[in-house]
Amino acid sequence: MSKEQLIIFDTTLRDGEQSPGASMTKEEKVRIARQLERMRVNVIEAGFPAASNGDFEAVRLVAESISDSTVAALCRTSPNDISRALEAIKPAKSGRIHTFLATSPIHMEKKLRMSPADVIVAAENAVRIARNGIDDVEFSCEDAGRSELDFLCRIIEGVIKEGATTINIPDTVGYNVPEQFAERIHQLRTRIPNSDKVVWSVHCHNDLGLAVANSLAAVLAGARQVECTINGLGERAGNAALEEVVMAVRTRQDVFPCETRIDTTHIVPASKLVSSITGFPVQPNKAIVGANAFAHESGIHQDGVLKHRETYEIMRAEDVGWNANKLVLGKHSGRAAFKARLQELGITVDSEQILNAAFLRFKELADKKHEIFDEDLHALMSEEAIVPGDEQYRLVSSMFHSETGELPQARLTIAVRGVETIAASSGGGPVDATFKAIESIAASGAELLLYSVNAITTGTDAQGEVTVRLAKDGRIVNGQGADTDIIVASAKAYIHALNKLSSGKEKINPQL
Ligand code: KIV
Ligand code: ZN
């Protein structure tokens, strides 16, 4: 007998994007959305259209690009927010409106300054308006984890009468513990008379490190949708990690009365893609997707695994997509093969100009590094995200000098709106010298919030991928650069971030 389905609602592109510094361009959102669709995520929450024009356009583009997953848009309860969200998801084959209002005493009194009775009216109106535009409507009781049960019962019964199809119970501030959260779901499901008309959903934050545990406890209490993000990205300490929820349900089928439709072999590539686009590295000991998640160090463990894998492994690395980075292309590969592989990876290249520039860079890379993996292609295309000619700065060439007892020197040729200029500086180290040289031309005055280097693949010829996070005038952007030379990768990442700051492509602040 087949089991009930657990709906996986991914909010990497919305709640995940609310992590400071994780804002994404619309093209980046589409790349992640395509990977989520390949993974067979049921619902992709693409953004919050009323937040900005950029957010609206991103949701619309995701809605146009995705056909196998439902595309959801978040909105507050105001008619204007709802109509922006409806407009944004219009092109979607299957769309959902996700409207929310706070229900806890502290949020209603101090934030909304609304009476509980007015909150109920606003929620019911919102669901009614949304249902006039679309059949699939989710209502979230923000801060439900700290809301009074009786009040939750009243408001939820009301919005179900107005046609809500999914009821989401967020633990917005990550305050709950599993037993208590499960009991809350159980109480709501048994006390609300029309509770069987809807899918029950949970959305847990990780402030106490309990987001996944609370979500799974809720599933055992009857929730059939979990809202989660790749790598657990999200506000503050993040959301429940999709990979952990999915693999727990799959690995412990003896415990869970439901199953997901997720193709788990796409999990690790999704994790790497999100990490590369946002610049948020994955800690090595992170469950499922950390570099050490399947590595056995101690002799006793290694001996056990060699004799019988299941002595120390409850999952197979290949089932979650480790080693899925097939060797794809080499220096003899042609433009058609390059383009075809990008398409297979879900990367669409809008113009011949970008494709030609990317192919040239691919050839340069293939000369330095004989084996080109999918991760290399993702990194390469991240750098091509800004249309050539649209960019303020472009690195033309570079020279670095570093010698014991001497101050490191960097000398770069940078094209500023197409005009080549020499920039030179010394610094505390070669990266410092490089950034100072770039700033001697750009004079951006931006604050450097983060500098991180990761090897994209294995081996000493691997590309280093550098993330640079810059802040200026309340905007935070991430720049990425990849190269077999990490100083060059650093220069590219800094310039990428400066181009994002000057292109205005990214939103001022993706937060609510
Ligand atoms: O954490 C939260 O309460 C949310 C809602 C908007 C669902 O993100
Ligand atoms: Zn949230």
Side-chain angles (χ1 to χ4, degrees), residues 14-15 203 205 235 239:
R14 198 278 298 170
D15 211 316
H203 172 114
H205 279 271
E235 278 274 1
N239 289 71

Side-chain angles (χ1 to χ4, degrees), residues 94-157:
S94 163
R96 172 180 296 187
I97 290 295
H98 177 193
T99 184
F100 73 99
L101 192 58
T103 50
S104 63
I106 185 170
H107 275 229
M108 290 191 288
E109 190 192 326
K110 306 283 184 207
K111 183 184 81 170
L112 299 176
R113 301 208 170 103
M114 283 169 78
S115 69
D118 287 346
V119 166
I120 293 185
V121 171
E124 290 177 355
N125 282 344
V127 171
R128 191 178 323 119
I129 296 170
R131 272 306 303 258
N132 277 334
I134 201 160
D135 288 341
D136 190 347
V137 175
E138 171 169 336
F139 179 75
S140 281
C141 308
E142 192 192 8
D143 205 16
R146 292 189 300 171
S147 301
E148 284 167 2
L149 210 54
D150 288 347
F151 182 66
L152 281 179
C153 289
R154 278 170 53 210
I155 192 166
I156 292 171
E157 185 178 350

Side-chain angles (χ1 to χ4, degrees), residues 11 14-15 18 170-172 203-205 227 235-236 238-239:
T11 182
R14 198 278 298 170
D15 211 316
Q18 288 176 213
D171 184 19
T172 303
H203 172 114
C204 297
H205 279 271
E227 302 197 354
E235 278 274 1
R236 306 180 310 280
N239 289 71

